[in-house]
Amino acid sequence: MQAKHLGFVALASVLMLGAVYAQDSFGITDYPPITEDQLVNPAPGDWPMYRRTYDGQGYSPLDQINKDNVAQLVPAWSYSTGVVEGHESPPVVVNGVMFVTTPEHHVFALNAATGQLYWKYTADITENTNPSHPTNRGVAVLGDKVFYAAHDATLVALDAKTGEEVWSTEVANVDEAYYMTLAPLVADGKVLIGVSGGEYGIRGFVAAYDAETGEEAWKTYTIPAPDEPGGDTWPAGAYVTGAGSTWSTGNYDPESKLVYWGVGNAGPWMGDQRPGDNLYTASTIALDVETGEIKGHFQYSHNESFDWDEVTAPILVDLPNKDGETVKGLVNPTRSGILWALERTSEGPINFIWGEKYVPGDVITDIDAETGRVSYDESKKPSTGTTKTYCPSVHGGRDWPSTAYSPDTGLLYIPANANMCTELTGAEVEYEAGQPFIGFDSLEFQVTDDAEYIGSVQAWDVATGEMKWEHKFPRSGNWGPILATGGGLIFSGGTNDRMFRAYDAENGDVLWEQKLNSGVIGTPSTFEVDGKQYVAVQAGYGVDAVFNNTVIAEHFGISSDVPQGGVVWVFEVKDGAVASAE
């Protein structure tokens, strides 16, 4: 691995002087180490991790930008990354410094108030790395380090001031088709990481590394061996290639010291080739952060055969249980099209509360009121040698884009997609290391004939399980992660018209929108520097959103063209300004 530096860029002559952050134009001079307490209780103006807080709510209490002035939101600065493909990383901001990642293995450190480049790191990737998804979803920070998961399954610690490598460690073997795209999670002095590669017959895992040294602390496979709990849910030998990838960042409860991590679908895709429930695929697992032991789980789809890759971690939020008592809960709108409300316990077990369809679907016919186990319409379940059509599609009611929760409204905000289905013809497949291990002859996306819309932003009351409002996009999917703020707003992009929007969090009215250079599938964040609030997001369309949009455009007879190219956009309110929608 090697760092490439552009440091000492002397183009800017501005000397930033402030009571809180004092950075000069030549480099990062003031970077107090980030403590564990700052991660547990972030300062209101910081965004120190993937979803800002360990509960994964994607909420900031900042309210300087609010319903009254959001119409005056205008660009403060922008920074072209020089890279195409999907830009999905959130701008992480601490100590007045923004850390953001892009495709092609880059990490940028920018002055959060001006956009001035401090340093750029480019990972020197192993040549035979072959990721199916050429994206990255961000960094984690602790002490004086920035942690980055490189595509070639290498975890890297960088010096936050200089971008120089402090340590790096191989997490998995790329020859077996492992790769990484997620933002690491720092918890309890460790850096937690998951892996991609479920389409290649990997055995998924979550691993933890000492944040100071990079030494492995523990590694827990998501597919149990025969002598482990859950091992009897697999046929003999299948656990070795059972997939169960873990490519989305987990959430953490510092009180119980349990980490909640999502696990992907099983491999090969056709469930009749691996009879059994196939734990812990298509599940959320609760891991002891000290040991990695699996303390609890909830499986959304047993013997999963739909490519409903349930890797997104549930949001941690208090909500009523079946008896109406307020408990520590989990909420998760899954690819299966079901919004789940679950109870998390300090010992680990996860209990079912309720599940509701948030998009139309024809596979799940019932949910057991006691356990939450689903029943399938077997005529819709793909199997070897048959062709089945089912809804939602393999991209699900929601793919990886993050939900958000506002404690001010009590609403969960979901970037949803409806009225898309998949036709899948299953086939036999033999495992060969590093090669696709899926098992189908054909796969086709379809838009339902009566579709009046595809994407939407939904708001759900997690206390009652009722949808409060929905903003629909008639001719576009929605691949936009969501930010909620104390200003009564939610921010999101995700559509094929390149718009980045602010909605009224209470009723879904669009209060502001700005067309950017490319489609916005980046994760928005907000932060404060020297008393001023900013909103940040990356534009840069790519990956599955592009493929999905091609299908939608063909169905509706519209252009599928969405310009490519990554740009970091940062917005501020200026008195008297009137934002242009173009």
Side-chain angles (χ1 to χ4, degrees), residues 16 21 76-77 93 96-98 110-116 118 527-530 532 534 570 572:
M16 292 299 299
Y21 307 119
W77 58 264
V93 180
V97 181
M98 175 184 292
L110 304 164
N111 184 311
T114 68
Q116 173 202 321
Y118 288 134
F527 59 92
E528 185 179 82
V529 177
D530 294 342
K532 186 168 191 174
Y534 300 85
V570 174
E572 63 181 341

Side-chain angles (χ1 to χ4, degrees), residues 101-148:
T101 66
T102 73
E104 298 189 11
H105 331 301
H106 302 305
V107 183
F108 294 85
L110 304 164
N111 184 311
T114 68
Q116 173 202 321
L117 176 67
Y118 288 134
W119 54 257
K120 174 185 174 183
Y121 168 85
T122 302
D124 190 6
I125 297 296
T126 305
E127 287 186 359
N128 55 346
T129 304
N130 184 28
S132 299
H133 293 80
T135 189
N136 185 274
R137 299 189 180 87
V139 301
V141 297
L142 180 67
D144 56 0
K145 298 180 183 63
V146 176
F147 303 98
Y148 169 67

Side-chain angles (χ1 to χ4, degrees), residues 261-299:
W261 212 286
V263 182
N265 58 301
W269 284 9
M270 300 304 115
D272 61 312
Q273 296 181 32
R274 42 176 170 75
D277 280 2
N278 308 145
L279 292 174
Y280 296 95
T281 60
S283 301
T284 291
I285 54 176
L287 296 156
D288 185 321
V289 74
E290 294 185 1
T291 66
E293 180 182 355
I294 296 176
K295 294 286 194 177
H297 75 279
F298 184 84
Q299 188 173 46

Side-chain angles (χ1 to χ4, degrees), residues 506-525:
E506 292 184 335
N507 56 34
D509 288 349
V510 175
L511 302 180
W512 169 88
E513 60 184 355
Q514 174 77 57
K515 182 166 285 191
L516 303 184
N517 63 294
S518 181
V520 181
I521 59 173
T523 304
S525 67

Side-chain angles (χ1 to χ4, degrees), residues 205 229 309 399 468:
F205 63 84
D309 205 6
D399 203 281
K468 291 298 184 181

Side-chain angles (χ1 to χ4, degrees), residues 227-501:
D227 60 347
E228 295 174 333
D232 58 353
T233 65
W234 289 85
Y239 74 99
V240 178
T241 55
S245 55
T246 49
W247 52 266
S248 188
T249 308
N251 294 323
Y252 176 52
D253 182 346
E255 186 174 333
S256 66
K257 292 190 176 296
L258 293 174
V259 176
Y260 296 89
W261 212 286
V263 182
N265 58 301
W269 284 9
M270 300 304 115
D272 61 312
Q273 296 181 32
R274 42 176 170 75
D277 280 2
N278 308 145
L279 292 174
Y280 296 95
T281 60
S283 301
T284 291
I285 54 176
L287 296 156
D288 185 321
V289 74
E290 294 185 1
T291 66
E293 180 182 355
I294 296 176
K295 294 286 194 177
H297 75 279
F298 184 84
Q299 188 173 46
Y300 303 106
S301 305
H302 56 277
N303 191 240
E304 204 282 327
S305 304
F306 314 94
D307 189 30
W308 288 337
D309 205 6
E310 308 294 10
V311 295
T312 56
I315 284 179
L316 280 58
V317 62
D318 292 347
L319 75 172
N321 65 9
K322 293 175 182 174
D323 299 322
E325 301 169 342
T326 299
V327 297
K328 295 181 181 301
L330 304 167
V331 291
N332 197 11
T334 55
R335 279 206 203 187
S336 65
I338 305 295
L339 169 59
W340 299 91
L342 308 169
E343 178 183 2
R344 70 185 200 274
T345 64
S346 57
E347 296 79 18
I350 299 171
N351 303 317
F352 169 71
I353 300 177
W354 53 260
E356 293 286 344
K357 284 187 178 180
Y358 67 97
V359 295
D362 58 10
V363 173
I364 294 176
T365 58
D366 190 30
I367 300 175
D368 185 276
E370 184 65 26
T371 66
R373 185 180 177 88
V374 299
S375 298
Y376 300 132
D377 179 343
E378 294 294 335
S379 71
K380 298 291 183 180
K381 186 179 177 183
S383 59
T384 307
T386 69
T387 298
K388 301 290 179 64
T389 301
Y390 60 92
C391 317
S393 74
V394 298
H395 289 155
R398 176 185 66 112
D399 203 281
W400 67 270
S402 298
T403 59
Y405 172 80
S406 169
D408 304 322
T409 62
L411 299 179
L412 174 76
Y413 304 98
I414 304 172
N417 284 301
N419 300 317
M420 294 201 69
C421 307
T422 292
E423 182 183 275
L424 187 59
T425 301
E428 294 279 358
V429 61
E430 295 291 330
Y431 175 76
E432 181 179 352
Q435 299 302 310
F437 186 61
I438 301 174
F440 64 73
D441 282 335
S442 66
L443 186 155
E444 180 182 339
F445 284 84
Q446 300 175 351
V447 178
T448 59
D449 292 338
D450 58 351
E452 296 181 350
Y453 74 101
I454 303 297
S456 70
V457 177
Q458 301 180 0
W460 285 73
D461 186 329
V462 300
T464 64
E466 297 175 327
M467 187 166 69
K468 291 298 184 181
W469 57 259
E470 183 174 25
H471 183 97
K472 298 177 180 178
F473 304 107
R475 296 293 182 264
S476 176
N478 183 6
W479 289 78
I482 297 178
L483 157 70
T485 77
L489 302 168
I490 64 169
F491 290 86
S492 185
T495 50
N496 57 13
D497 56 7
R498 298 186 280 130
M499 288 294 187
F500 184 50
R501 298 180 174 89

